[in-house]
Amino acid sequence: MSDGSSFYITTPIFYVNDVPHIGHAYTEVAADVLARWHRQSGDNAWLLTGTDEHGQKILRTATANGVTPKEWADRLVETAWKPLLETVNIANDDFIRTTDERHEVNAQKFLQHLQTEGHIYTGEYEGYYCVGCEEYKPTSDLVDGTGDDAGVLVCAIHSKPVELLHEKNYFFKMSAFADQLLALYEANPDFVQPESARNEVISFVKRGLSDLSISRSSFDWGIKVPWDESHVVYVWFDALLNYITAAGYGQNDEEFASRWPATHIVGKDILRFHAVIWPAMLMAAGIAVPKQVFGHGWLLVGGEKMSKSKLTGIAPSEITDTFGSDAFRYYFMRAISFGQDGSFSWEDLSARYQSELANGFGNLASRVIAMVVRYCDGEVPLGGEPTEADLGIQATEKRVTDASAAFIDRLAIHEAVASVWELVDELNGYITLQEPWALAKDPATRERLETVLHTAVRGLGTLTVLLSPVIPVATGTLWTALGGTGALTDQRIDRAWGWAGGTHVTPLEPLFPRIESTVG
Ligand code: MSP
């Protein structure tokens, strides 16, 4: 990681037909942890999120609710999607809506450019369309319906009937980019990650690419095709462009050059849009492809992807109201291997909250600070000659600082957190073994007591800096109690191990209080 280099990271922009569930919040948190981490590494990190507001899915929901699609989108953005960012404590730098003028105008510019360069033609298309996915589906992605839908084909993801559409549309000559895409995956193995996602994308492109229908004329809720106002731009073509229209494309060349290309964090459900269609669009326009597309796994309920349409969605506030935003962030980043599916369970969340956050980290912080207050009047002692045990803690500080950074570079967030936790566990073990409360009883061991507390305070400081991207609230409180100077978010994470320590600590309330009621 080099000082000041651009780290532009994005989440998908979310459909506003419904309110968010914890699957959406999961993506937000992962991208936010990476952005915060890079910010504290001295990079010029920029986190973009936002909402996808055009297309048939939104239009139908709005109509069913008796309002215009724009009114519906405004309502959902203000009452649900922006509040989600507060609920799980996202420090985004920008929020783009596809109904923003900056997006609509510059998406048109992009399309016009492709048309001028000869990448667009008029054609006819007949196929099965899933409004839930906003996508024409190959028959291999369809299954026979059951119950009320017996006898018709349904989308394998949404379990809802697909619609047979026949339209005269504009097409993007995507098939022309198959070789270039394969060369990209080959030359840059990190372009699509994790490995399973990369393999899936490569074999998809190897099976052959068709051209992409990029306009619709049977409804008008979308961006107008610049040379033919009787068509609106296909919602995915429109949506993908948010990543560049939010970064200055078409409006501010300097800003765009300084930010682009981006790292895209997406769920594996929308991997092909990001790893195939999107780079092909950019290649056609002569714009650099993204730095990376990372497809994370799904939160599952009963073995299936959690979804609102299947009524399995859990609202993020159901968790944060009881456990707080830090616990939400910690749990999902720690308990699920980033890149793989994971099941959410209230029992697992409660157990980890209690053992890892409350007993493991929170208790460590409370105990160390309470002892410095009690035995040293709150003054952080300088300590004497370190013993092997003290040097062991220092070595672990350095080791986990380096190891967690290496994991973050590979987007292995769960491993980065697990690595930092080695220091939590080691410090707890160190305190149990050194018994500072016993050392405090005998004036002859005063210097040893001071060395132990000095070592523990420094270790805690290292933890505070390393954990600040994941649990920003608790670490912010702890930073103040430790007498840290400057803002915690300004502390370099790659130098967390060398934290010099504050001079004075102040009493600390429990960071993760006991939760009395049973939940779930
Ligand atoms: N609007 C498109 C994305 C356009 S990006 C240019 C879209 N929106 S969505 O509202 O359906 O959000 C999909 C994303 O939400 C997934 O890619 C994933 O990031 C997140 N998730 C939705 N359900 C999820 C789970 N059950 N588990 C994990 N993530 C989930 O697709």
Side-chain angles (χ1 to χ4, degrees):
M1 291 172 206
S2 58
D3 277 294
S5 60
S6 170
F7 180 74
Y8 175 28
I9 182 163
T10 68
T11 71
I13 50 170
F14 300 98
Y15 288 128
V16 291
N17 63 307
D18 211 337
V19 298
H21 60 62
I22 60 175
H24 306 113
Y26 175 64
T27 314
E28 288 283 1
V29 168
D32 184 57
V33 167
L34 293 168
R36 287 178 188 258
W37 195 290
H38 277 264
R39 250 177 237 130
Q40 279 190 248
S41 306
D43 289 337
N44 182 10
W46 189 262
L47 171 62
L48 172 71
T49 189
T51 43
D52 189 352
E53 305 185 6
H54 292 129
Q56 232 165 334
K57 173 147 124 168
I58 315 297
L59 176 61
R60 286 188 187 176
T61 308
T63 308
N65 284 278
V67 293
T68 67
K70 183 61 168 55
E71 281 167 343
W72 179 261
D74 287 348
R75 185 190 299 175
L76 268 282
V77 167
E78 291 312 322
T79 62
W81 289 94
K82 284 192 171 165
L84 167 70
L85 306 177
E86 307 279 316
T87 304
V88 290
N89 201 1
I90 304 301
N92 57 308
D93 297 285
D94 197 357
F95 187 99
I96 188 157
R97 301 179 53 177
T98 51
T99 50
D100 285 349
E101 197 188 335
R102 60 174 171 162
H103 175 73
E104 296 194 339
V105 168
N106 295 295
Q108 283 185 323
K109 233 182 242 180
F110 182 96
L111 191 54
Q112 184 61 64
H113 178 61
L114 256 53
Q115 151 84 350
T116 311
E117 295 292 310
H119 296 290
I120 310 283
Y121 65 95
T122 319
E124 282 194 41
Y125 196 76
E126 183 174 82
Y128 291 110
Y129 196 82
C130 169
V131 175
C133 295
E134 290 283 17
E135 186 185 13
Y136 276 109
K137 292 281 178 181
T139 37
S140 55
D141 286 354
L142 303 177
V143 294
D144 291 323
T146 53
D148 286 351
D149 298 324
V152 299
L153 288 170
V154 302
C155 163
I157 295 178
H158 289 88
S159 305
K160 294 241 172 81
V162 287
E163 298 167 24
L164 185 64
L165 297 185
H166 184 115
E167 280 196 313
K168 198 167 163 240
N169 293 332
Y170 291 102
F171 280 74
F172 165 48
K173 287 185 198 162
M174 190 164 73
S175 56
F177 293 93
D179 289 344
Q180 240 173 290
L181 285 169
L182 288 170
L184 165 70
Y185 310 141
E186 181 68 32
N188 183 356
D190 285 342
F191 178 73
V192 188
Q193 280 295 315
E195 212 48 35
S196 52
R198 174 168 189 264
N199 293 338
E200 191 216 296
V201 164
I202 292 177
S203 52
F204 175 76
V205 176
K206 279 192 173 157
R207 287 199 295 273
L209 281 186
S210 359
D211 291 340
L212 182 73
S213 160
I214 56 153
S215 74
R216 304 291 305 275
S217 57
S218 53
F219 63 93
D220 70 352
W221 177 235
I223 298 176
K224 298 252 182 286
V225 169
W227 61 88
D228 179 354
E229 298 224 328
S230 66
H231 283 244
V232 291
V233 179
Y234 170 45
V235 63
W236 266 102
F237 196 91
D238 159 355
L240 288 162
L241 289 168
N242 91 87
Y243 301 129
I244 58 171
T245 59
Y249 169 82
Q251 319 125 72
N252 184 339
D253 293 345
E254 210 175 311
E255 184 197 354
F256 186 56
S258 73
R259 266 198 230 306
W260 188 256
T263 297
H264 298 307
I265 304 296
V266 300
K268 64 181 185 181
D269 46 331
I270 56 174
L271 186 67
R272 287 182 199 167
F273 292 100
H274 286 81
V276 181
I277 299 179
W278 179 224
M281 287 165 62
L282 291 164
M283 285 168 177
I287 298 173
V289 297
K291 192 183 287 172
Q292 187 173 42
V293 177
F294 190 94
H296 67 66
W298 287 337
L299 301 192
L300 304 175
V301 176
E304 277 194 64
K305 176 176 176 246
M306 171 179 295
S307 88
K308 276 276 166 185
S309 60
K310 291 192 177 169
L311 305 175
T312 52
I314 297 171
S317 59
E318 279 185 58
I319 294 177
T320 57
D321 285 351
T322 306
F323 292 93
S325 61
D326 275 356
F328 185 104
R329 297 166 63 95
Y330 173 78
Y331 175 73
F332 286 106
M333 293 304 102
R334 174 83 199 256
I336 298 173
S337 297
F338 196 55
Q340 287 171 26
D341 293 345
S343 292
F344 165 74
S345 99
W346 289 102
E347 290 72 22
D348 193 30
L349 168 65
S350 287
R352 281 184 184 267
Y353 179 91
Q354 200 50 46
S355 69
E356 291 163 21
L357 289 176
N359 297 344
F361 180 61
N363 220 6
L364 170 72
S366 304
R367 282 204 298 170
V368 170
I369 287 185
M371 286 190 286
V372 176
V373 168
R374 183 150 168 216
Y375 304 137
C376 309
D377 288 328
E379 296 304 320
V380 179
L382 289 177
E385 267 309 294
T387 63
E388 215 168 293
D390 313 324
L391 294 174
I393 292 294
Q394 287 175 28
T396 303
E397 289 178 68
K398 176 80 170 89
R399 181 172 57 76
V400 304
T401 300
D402 294 345
S404 56
F407 285 127
I408 290 292
D409 271 352
R410 298 201 278 108
L411 270 58
I413 305 174
H414 57 292
E415 294 194 80
V417 181
S419 162
V420 175
W421 228 257
E422 288 172 27
L423 180 57
V424 172
D425 293 339
E426 212 166 296
L427 267 176
N428 271 317
Y430 169 83
I431 286 168
T432 306
L433 225 64
Q434 300 300 319
E435 299 185 308
W437 47 91
L439 296 171
K441 287 192 184 130
D442 184 353
T445 49
R446 177 74 197 175
E447 186 178 300
R448 185 66 204 139
L449 169 70
E450 293 188 352
T451 309
V452 169
L453 291 181
H454 176 82
T455 305
V457 167
R458 284 189 58 154
L460 210 48
T462 298
L463 282 175
T464 310
V465 176
L466 287 174
L467 290 172
S468 101
V470 184
I471 47 172
V473 178
T475 50
T477 306
L478 180 54
W479 182 249
T480 306
L482 285 172
T485 41
L488 172 59
T489 47
D490 289 340
Q491 305 305 308
R492 285 289 293 249
I493 210 159
D494 48 336
R495 294 182 206 140
W497 60 276
W499 185 62
T503 55
H504 195 90
V505 302
T506 44
L508 180 71
E509 295 292 315
L511 293 175
F512 297 96
R514 170 174 280 282
I515 289 165
E516 300 298 345
S517 61
T518 51
V519 289

